[in-house]
Amino acid sequence: MSYGPMHRKEDARFIRGRGNYTDDVRLPGMLHGAILRSPHAHARIVSVDTSAAEAHPKVRAVITGQTLAGLNLAWMPTLSQDTQAVLATDKVRFQGQEVAFVVAEDAYSARDALELIDVEYEPLDAVIDARHALDPGAPVIRDDLEGRTDNHIFDWEAGDRARADAIFERAEVTVAQDMIYPRVHPAPLETCGALADFDKVTGKLTVWCPTQAPHAHRTLYAMVAGLPEHKIRVISPDIGGGFGGKVGIYPGYVCAIVGSIVTGKPVKWMEDRSENLMSTAFARDYHMRGEVAATRDGRIQAIRVKVLADHGAFNGTAQPTKFPAGFFHVFSGSYDIEAAHCEVTGVYTNKAPGGVAYACSFRVTEAVYLVERMVDVLAAELGADPAELRMRNLLKPDQFPYTSPTGWEYDSGDYPKALRLAMDMAGYDKLRAEQADKRARGELMGIGVSFFTEAVGAGPRKHMDILGLGMADGAELRVHPTGKAVLRVSCQSQGQGHETTFAQIVGQELGIPADDVEVVHGDTDQTPFGLGTYGSRSTPVSGAAAALVSRKVRDRAKIVAAAMLEASPDDLEWADGKWSVVGDPSAGRSMAEIALAAHSSLELPEGVEGHLDAVTVYNPPNLTYPFGAYICVVDVDPGTGQVKVRRFVAVDDCGVRINPMIVEGQIHGGLADGVGMALMQVMAFDEDGNHLGASFMDYLLPTAMECPSWELGETVTPSPTHPIGAKGVGESATVGSPAAVVNAVVDALGPYGVRHADMPLTPANVWRVVNGDPFRTDLAIP
Ligand code: PCD
Ligand SMILES: [Cu+]
């Protein structure tokens, strides 16, 4: 009843410029903060002289690492159980690192005063290329950690090495390929920032910031700063895009809080674009080597992977605690493979920390890219068609639930159906014929296929947590006497449209219009605890909580309806949005009627409270496993190296779609992101660690110009564990599309003997290949 393509409720304010973002919040007497950042990638701090800045007539406070050290706040814990400097005390470890914080009467004076701070640095050699981080004699970045003599962070493995090795030893065919998933940045339109207001009288701290996880932030502030949790309120107002970059706590947030405590005034800090690109969380930066073993007739038997993970100067990757490489486990892809093994080694380098799940649900993007490139490398080796090779190896519907070689249980799917549909929509055979014609004329056309399975909706408490916090989500539902409802949830959308889809879930369950349901989120004082929005977990976890809390309300309504109908609850059935006596639907009672009766003088049975409100906490039994089949068609100009994405067919299966229009919007956005990563986005550094992508002139984002008109298809395999059968979808397209684009470009370059090319496939890079120069794989260092 309430599912379907409904316009987004939130758009009424967004398209009229009435959104309320962190920077829109203004408090009386508010002061402004600015951060002094390191010009060096690696340097010892000899001295910091703040006297001239303090003398600036509009400056109210200057905070340094030393000030914070006195409060025991110079270092903070990261999401990966490492520590990160809030303001540097001993050394700076990446260009753009936070060194000092100025609080002034206005934002301009704060910026001006930064120039008055005199920092003496003693530059040190920097480690920029992760492949040299473990060289003997490499500068030790984290000498703050006791006993550290190298830049090694962790080794992690998954799968069965012995089984995989045994298959490789006797395999008819093996292929191997090195590849880089370059460092990229979520680059949301709204940058990060915070407004902190510490009330000395009540002892209450209120922090406005665009966080994807308001409750987790509050708990962490309480744990780290020792403030009582009930005296902290985190408000996450409208967010202008998050994409994983707004999950963690940034030094600037802590500085704003300290600034407010020190000055006794509200302090706002908003970063600019360059600060956002240089210092907030990056994503990917995986150097991977994949190997596949197969039979001569194209049966994939085993896959092995080695990864060198560049984590930057502090290990701040965001993912469930037990998984240093996130959910990289899914690197065996969507195929029926006998054995799989991977090893991941994490290292420190002199780059910004992060490692966020930028539209990727915890390293799933890297895993999917790897396996989908490897299948194409194998196809090239065997002379097989990449779509047919995939079809041959995809898991079959009767294999679900399927336990992968790394021990994950894929919940459901009909993979061949999705790939068949994509091939039909694309006109696959015709495209191949067209390509052959064009090749004969010397024109470069490429067709790229990719198939992905994602693991989203973190997660079952027994398997995962973040810093000890279980990943279950609460929901509260109130029904007013007139039958209008208010749903309170812990997640917070950054543009995904929860105010609409979550209202649709409740509307569907209660038989009331979605417009009669208000969704409250993003304010810890107003919502139940839960871990937030990322890893496409809102629908799988909070969405499930919303459905279940609605069912609780419906069950309470049943008892009231029974009293109204003078029947036994056992004789009632729920049909057409009403409770009615079995066999007599005409006398049914709607939720609005029941709600009014619940608050009236109607005599209720013993023990029934006079309202319908309910609360719940949902602990997901498993993740959800959306999947999809993508086909990309490109034309490459051999004269300029320019890649034109001519067509893109995307068949997605995210189970039951609550709002197909929002789902399609999510897919459009993700596809654009994928084209961007494949063709233009990269965070590059020079050998001294200077950041080469600190503005949108250098860090390129895709626009409508680079995107074709997307052709979307769908199949629906409901999740067997989710109460409404929905699976997450927010990140699917970003996960699945880069491989399709790269596969298409490599396919186009087939006549040049190219088997692999690293992202981003910029005109310059493609031109080099066409002109016989070796393709450069070390793009992190131009
Ligand atoms: N089946 C289904 C599913 C889903 N849906 C819808 O859709 C959406 C989404 O969802 P999901 O999948 O659940 O997701 P979420 O959780 O909500 O979200 C998250 C995601 O989301 C995406 N998308 C987006 N959009 C926008 N606009 N913005 C942003 O920022 C963003 N981000 C991105 C990301 S990156 Mo991470 O954070 O990296 O981890 S993660 C992520 C929402 O509204 C929902 O409800 C429906 O309807 N149906
Ligand atoms: Cu939300």
Side-chain angles (χ1 to χ4, degrees), residues 193-271:
L195 167 57
D197 183 18
F198 181 70
D199 185 324
K200 277 205 169 114
V201 178
T202 61
K204 183 137 187 172
L205 170 69
T206 308
V207 184
W208 287 259
C209 69
T211 168
Q212 298 179 222
H215 288 274
H217 274 215
R218 181 184 56 180
T219 303
L220 288 180
Y221 287 139
M223 286 172 164
V224 175
L227 296 165
E229 193 167 3
H230 63 300
K231 293 285 191 187
I232 305 173
R233 178 179 187 186
V234 175
I235 301 177
S236 185
D238 286 330
I239 301 182
F243 307 101
K246 289 169 177 165
V247 171
I249 293 175
Y250 292 115
Y253 301 1
V254 180
C255 289
I257 293 170
V258 174
S260 179
I261 294 174
V262 168
T263 60
K265 299 276 182 201
V267 173
K268 183 192 275 181
W269 163 75
M270 284 304 300
E271 67 188 5

Side-chain angles (χ1 to χ4, degrees), residues 55 66 70 76 103 164 232 298 348 364 426 531 611 629 657 684 726:
Q66 289 314 322
M76 63 179 184
V103 182
I232 305 173
Y348 290 119
V364 169
L531 279 208
H611 62 75
R657 295 184 176 195

Side-chain angles (χ1 to χ4, degrees), residues 461-494:
R461 283 169 67 146
K462 61 173 189 275
H463 296 314
M464 50 195 75
D465 63 84
I466 288 189
L467 295 177
L469 302 172
M471 305 191 77
D473 286 0
E476 285 175 24
L477 184 57
R478 294 187 197 164
V479 184
H480 300 311
T482 56
K484 313 286 180 201
V486 177
L487 174 75
R488 293 166 190 275
V489 282
S490 53
C491 58
Q492 166 61 332
S493 79
Q494 308 110 50

Side-chain angles (χ1 to χ4, degrees), residues 8 186 188 212 239-247 356-362 456 491-502 504-505 532-541 654-660 662-663 665-666 725-731 734:
R8 304 200 316 173
Q212 298 179 222
I239 301 182
F243 307 101
K246 289 169 177 165
V247 171
V356 292
Y358 163 20
C360 110
S361 30
F362 312 121
V456 305
C491 58
Q492 166 61 332
S493 79
Q494 308 110 50
Q496 297 89 335
H498 294 177
E499 286 166 50
T500 308
T501 51
F502 280 57
Q504 288 182 273
I505 295 173
T533 293
Y534 42 84
S536 303
R537 69 185 295 280
S538 305
T539 307
V541 189
C654 57
V656 173
R657 295 184 176 195
I658 301 154
N659 186 325
I662 286 185
V663 168
Q666 290 287 303
K727 303 177 180 183
V729 75
E731 301 165 299
T734 323

Side-chain angles (χ1 to χ4, degrees), residues 288-345:
M288 308 186 276
R289 178 177 180 76
E291 291 174 285
V292 166
T295 59
R296 177 77 29 227
D297 63 352
R299 174 109 194 80
I300 304 174
Q301 296 166 300
I303 178 163
R304 287 192 301 216
V305 186
K306 272 203 171 111
V307 179
L308 179 64
D310 183 338
H311 281 216
F314 307 100
N315 184 22
T317 78
Q319 75 266 308
T321 312
K322 270 186 262 170
F323 304 106
F327 298 170
F328 194 77
H329 306 81
V330 300
F331 68 93
S332 62
S334 315
Y335 308 106
D336 190 5
I337 295 182
E338 283 168 57
H341 183 256
C342 79
E343 292 169 90
V344 181
T345 296

Side-chain angles (χ1 to χ4, degrees), residues 16-35:
R16 283 173 226 191
R18 292 290 186 82
N20 185 40
Y21 300 89
T22 298
D23 203 22
D24 293 324
V25 183
R26 284 187 185 130
L27 299 179
M30 182 173 87
L31 302 175
H32 297 263
I35 292 178

Side-chain angles (χ1 to χ4, degrees), residues 179 181 284 286 288 303 305 307 325 327-333 360 362-374 451-453 735 739:
M179 62 186 87
Y181 205 129
R284 328 285 194 246
Y286 261 30
M288 308 186 276
I303 178 163
V305 186
V307 179
F327 298 170
F328 194 77
H329 306 81
V330 300
F331 68 93
S332 62
C360 110
F362 312 121
R363 306 290 189 186
V364 169
T365 313
E366 289 91 324
V368 166
Y369 179 73
L370 176 107
V371 61
E372 290 307 298
R373 274 276 52 241
M374 289 313 298
F451 198 100
F452 67 90
T453 302
V735 168

